[in-house]
Amino acid sequence: MKTYCLTLDLINDPELIREYEKCHQKIWPEIYASIKKSGITKMQIYRFSNRLVMRMEVNDTFSFEYKAALDAENERVQEWEKLMWKYQQALPGAKPGEKWMLMTQIFELE
């Protein structure tokens, strides 16, 4: 099993941040199914101010390319992503359309 961490910023507006958190209290069933189908077995999102960190545990079938392909063909996922852009903003250095940016692990305590 592999673990990935990604980061993203929210628009720094308290009302939009509350709305974003409310959306994630009960995600749409199609989003949950899509996440699981892609090979993500566990996912957590943490927030500090307007900065988010997502931690994903994935199985051997997962790849970012496979997840992107599944998402591209899923109308409900596209609808969710469009809605989430209302709350999210790209990090400095992100290419157009990029959201969640993969973080590099620099330390591990075992």
Side-chain angles (χ1 to χ4, degrees):
M1 187 166 338
K2 204 164 185 184
T3 302
Y4 294 102
C5 284
L6 298 100
T7 191
L8 172 75
D9 282 348
L10 296 174
I11 295 169
N12 199 5
D13 176 293
E15 183 56 35
L16 289 176
I17 291 171
R18 276 192 290 281
E19 287 179 28
Y20 184 82
E21 288 185 354
K22 188 175 180 184
C23 288
H24 284 80
Q25 288 173 1
K26 185 170 174 139
I27 63 171
W28 301 347
E30 300 90 345
I31 303 308
Y32 179 87
S34 173
I35 290 168
K36 288 298 194 173
K37 183 177 182 180
S38 73
I40 299 169
T41 58
K42 288 180 87 175
M43 178 186 282
Q44 296 108 15
I45 300 175
Y46 299 88
R47 181 180 68 81
F48 175 77
S49 186
N50 69 317
R51 174 72 38 98
L52 300 178
V53 172
M54 178 194 303
R55 182 180 179 277
M56 301 184 327
E57 292 181 18
V58 302
N59 63 28
D60 292 339
T61 67
F62 177 83
S63 76
F64 286 102
E65 295 79 17
Y66 177 60
K67 173 90 171 82
L70 286 176
D71 290 351
E73 66 188 32
N74 187 320
E75 190 175 302
R76 214 39 186 152
V77 169
Q78 293 304 309
E79 186 180 342
W80 174 266
E81 292 300 330
K82 183 178 178 183
L83 174 62
M84 292 303 104
W85 263 126
K86 173 182 175 182
Y87 310 106
Q88 300 167 335
Q89 61 183 352
L91 289 170
K95 295 176 186 158
E98 282 186 326
K99 290 185 175 192
W100 289 97
M101 302 300 291
L102 187 61
M103 299 176 79
T104 302
Q105 181 179 336
I106 62 166
F107 175 78
E108 181 173 359
L109 178 68
E110 292 191 37

